[in-house]
Amino acid sequence: MSLGKQLTRLFRAISGKTQRQFAEGAGIHPSRLAKYESEDAAEPPAEVLPPMARQAGLSVADGEQIVRFWETLQQRRERAGQGAEALLAEAGARLDTLAADTYHRLLRLPAPGAEPRPEDRWRDLPLWLELKELDEEDQLAVVSVSTEHQTWALAEMACDESILEASRDLDRAASLARLALAIAERVRGTEPWRNRLKGFAAAHLANVDRVGGRLNAAEPGLAEAQRLWDAGADPGNLLDPGRS
């Protein structure tokens, strides 16, 4: 990953802001920020790095220094029992106050694909209230580029909304179920967890056919949903298979 992308991720992580908030502070569109944070070819231009850094209370030079320390520490931490202090003593180096403080702040950040927790629902509710107001094309565009919207809780909320809509608007219900499946396919984490989530979403999509009386279409959909569910795992018992 390029230095520009690393700095973008670093500055937003330290700022504690959402993608939308951070993008606004940097004067760019959230979808553009999502591309800068992803493996996409888009590179953050030099002029957006200073406003990003300021939101983290740092300068670009500070960020570059932290990235260098972080990369070194990550490589050495692979050795059993090797902490930051032991590494620096071995290397004969000294970690200055800025880097030490930032290093420990980084260690407290949730890692990509961190274990899902019930409180994720409350964290992601504001994102859902915004996402649900978009049309399907825009929803899918957002979840395709924004890692912030690629969460299990948002997939579950889309499924719940699909159930509510199934009694009054089958097209809307199907759209929401497709959104849930699109999110589930992009959720970070283990493959078993992603399979369980995909099975959960697929069951809600098949449910739309069932409610609409399209039983011939519902049966293979439900079978595929069951296959994915059985191939998956939900260690935290977060998903309720009876919701659909």
Side-chain angles (χ1 to χ4, degrees), residues 24-111:
E24 289 175 351
I28 58 177
H29 194 274
S31 64
R32 178 58 53 182
L33 174 62
K35 288 181 179 293
Y36 295 158
E37 291 188 336
S38 73
E39 298 297 338
D40 190 278
E43 283 291 328
E47 61 267 23
V48 305
L49 291 177
M52 288 181 180
R54 284 194 292 272
Q55 295 182 81
L58 302 170
S59 69
V60 175
D62 292 335
E64 291 172 348
Q65 180 185 26
I66 294 164
V67 168
R68 287 195 296 271
F69 273 115
W70 179 243
E71 288 178 339
T72 302
L73 291 168
Q74 282 293 91
Q75 293 168 4
R76 295 301 186 123
R77 285 175 66 208
E78 293 175 0
R79 295 170 57 181
Q82 188 80 358
E85 294 78 10
L87 162 65
L88 293 170
E90 179 187 56
R94 182 180 63 84
L95 194 60
D96 64 22
T97 303
L98 168 66
D101 176 65
T102 305
Y103 172 66
H104 289 292
R105 289 164 74 181
L106 283 169
L107 288 181
R108 290 195 297 270
L109 292 173

Side-chain angles (χ1 to χ4, degrees), residues 82-158:
Q82 188 80 358
E85 294 78 10
L87 162 65
L88 293 170
E90 179 187 56
R94 182 180 63 84
L95 194 60
D96 64 22
T97 303
L98 168 66
D101 176 65
T102 305
Y103 172 66
H104 289 292
R105 289 164 74 181
L106 283 169
L107 288 181
R108 290 195 297 270
L109 292 173
E115 288 296 320
R117 301 169 298 175
E119 53 265 37
D120 294 343
R121 296 184 176 103
W122 295 106
R123 181 200 64 197
D124 291 347
L125 182 57
L127 293 176
W128 173 246
L129 295 177
E130 292 182 352
L131 188 63
K132 68 182 289 190
E133 297 304 319
L134 302 178
D135 60 33
E136 182 176 6
E137 183 178 357
D138 288 340
Q139 287 174 335
L140 295 176
V142 168
V143 303
S144 69
V145 299
S146 173
T147 55
E148 188 175 31
H149 290 80
Q150 297 166 2
T151 70
W152 77 270
L154 285 178
E156 182 188 62
M157 290 176 200

Side-chain angles (χ1 to χ4, degrees), residues 111-116 150-152 183-199 228-229 231-239:
E115 288 296 320
Q150 297 166 2
T151 70
W152 77 270
I183 296 172
E185 289 171 345
R186 294 170 170 82
V187 166
R188 289 174 292 177
T190 66
E191 184 175 358
W193 167 236
R194 196 158 42 249
N195 281 336
R196 179 60 59 91
L197 193 60
K198 286 161 61 178
L228 288 166
W229 179 274
D234 178 10
N237 294 318
L238 295 169
L239 303 176

Side-chain angles (χ1 to χ4, degrees), residues 207-218:
N207 179 65
V208 176
D209 286 325
R210 182 182 64 80
V211 173
R214 299 183 292 271
L215 299 183
N216 288 338

